[in-house]
Amino acid sequence: MSVTFPIQAIKLTPGSQITISNLSWQDFEQILIDLGEKRNSRVTYYRGTLEIMSPLARPDRPHRIIADIVKAILDIQGRDWEDFGSTTLKRPPLAGIEPDTCFYIENAQRVQGCTRLDLKQYPPPDLAIEADVTSKTTLEAYEAIGVPEVWIYENQQLKIYLLCDQSYTETVNSRIFPELSLTEIIPQLVPKAIDLGTSKMLRDLRTSLPSRLS
């Protein structure tokens, strides 16, 4: 005998996740509707498997700090960017994912005026940022969607993944910021922002960074 219950009835403790198998793309779309937009959980779908994750409940989440660092570096370099936050990225019928944060940088001009992201019309984001991700499904979903660069910050370490031949390779060098050792810089800046304040960290970064870029 099978038992059914509303998806909204699932209650996850911070930092936990559940996995549901054998779901169609239509099931995934309906679950997104049922969960609604005003929720703390995030979802990842890849080839019939759905993961629902509850972020860790702590202030100053690293992904928000890292996003501020990315914006500061791009502004110092005089480069355009668009921050699409945790918008749902979909590549039906294979994959759907909600990044912690995602950016358009090389393709920033192409998404100007975009209010509803449709990957049939627009390219995937140039960069996705995740914090405290332990699931292999996450990278598989990003591969299917075609995000060129993914950063995962976990245990005070930054891992950079570059898409090459439809699969990710871990590297120490960012394709977006090749002149910076981000795997060293960001793990230093995130705890500094938490301890001293993000605004102070960013002011210090804007003062010191130009010398690293020259």
Side-chain angles (χ1 to χ4, degrees):
M1 181 182 69
S2 63
V3 178
T4 60
F5 53 89
I7 195 72
Q8 301 95 322
I10 296 176
K11 303 296 182 183
L12 297 178
T13 58
S16 65
Q17 69 181 49
I18 64 168
T19 300
I20 306 173
S21 302
N22 301 318
L23 294 179
S24 68
W25 181 261
Q26 290 72 25
D27 293 332
F28 169 61
E29 292 274 28
Q30 186 59 52
I31 286 173
L32 286 178
I33 294 172
D34 293 342
L35 288 174
E37 295 184 359
K38 295 182 179 180
R39 54 185 163 83
N40 292 326
S41 60
R42 294 192 302 112
V43 300
T44 299
Y45 176 90
Y46 180 70
R47 293 185 180 273
T49 297
L50 175 70
E51 292 182 348
I52 305 176
M53 294 156 279
S54 177
L56 291 170
R58 66 169 182 259
D60 298 316
R61 283 185 55 80
H63 74 85
R64 299 186 62 170
I65 298 171
I66 295 171
D68 287 337
I69 294 169
V70 169
K71 295 172 189 177
I73 296 173
L74 291 170
D75 285 344
I76 290 170
Q77 294 178 326
R79 299 164 68 185
D80 292 336
W81 54 267
E82 295 293 338
D83 182 355
F84 270 65
S86 59
T87 188
T88 305
L89 308 177
K90 299 178 182 179
R91 186 74 74 191
L94 293 179
I97 192 167
E98 296 170 334
D100 280 331
T101 302
C102 64
F103 282 91
Y104 283 89
I105 301 169
E106 299 299 327
N107 289 304
Q109 298 287 336
R110 296 180 62 180
V111 294
Q112 287 185 354
C114 172
T115 57
R116 186 176 182 83
L117 186 61
D118 184 348
L119 296 185
K120 294 179 182 178
Q121 181 180 358
Y122 299 100
D126 298 298
L127 172 65
I129 299 171
E130 297 276 0
D132 299 307
V133 169
T134 58
S135 171
K136 180 184 176 184
T137 303
T138 299
L139 282 178
E140 291 175 332
Y142 280 125
E143 284 177 353
I145 290 168
V147 176
E149 187 164 339
V150 177
W151 297 359
I152 296 180
Y153 184 85
E154 186 178 12
N155 297 325
Q156 297 185 343
Q157 292 184 327
L158 179 70
K159 294 184 178 181
I160 297 174
Y161 296 89
L162 300 182
L163 190 63
C164 182
D165 295 330
Q166 299 182 327
S167 64
Y168 284 110
T169 299
E170 184 179 351
T171 176
V172 296
N173 296 314
S174 166
R175 190 177 290 148
I176 297 170
F177 303 107
E179 67 278 31
L180 294 173
S181 299
L182 293 178
T183 54
E184 297 178 6
I185 295 172
I186 286 181
Q188 295 172 1
L189 294 179
V190 170
K192 180 177 179 180
I194 293 173
D195 293 340
L196 302 180
T198 302
S199 58
K200 177 172 176 27
M201 179 274 293
L202 290 173
R203 285 194 297 270
D204 292 345
L205 178 64
R206 290 188 175 97
T207 300
S208 62
L209 188 62
S211 62
R212 301 188 188 188
L213 297 172
S214 59

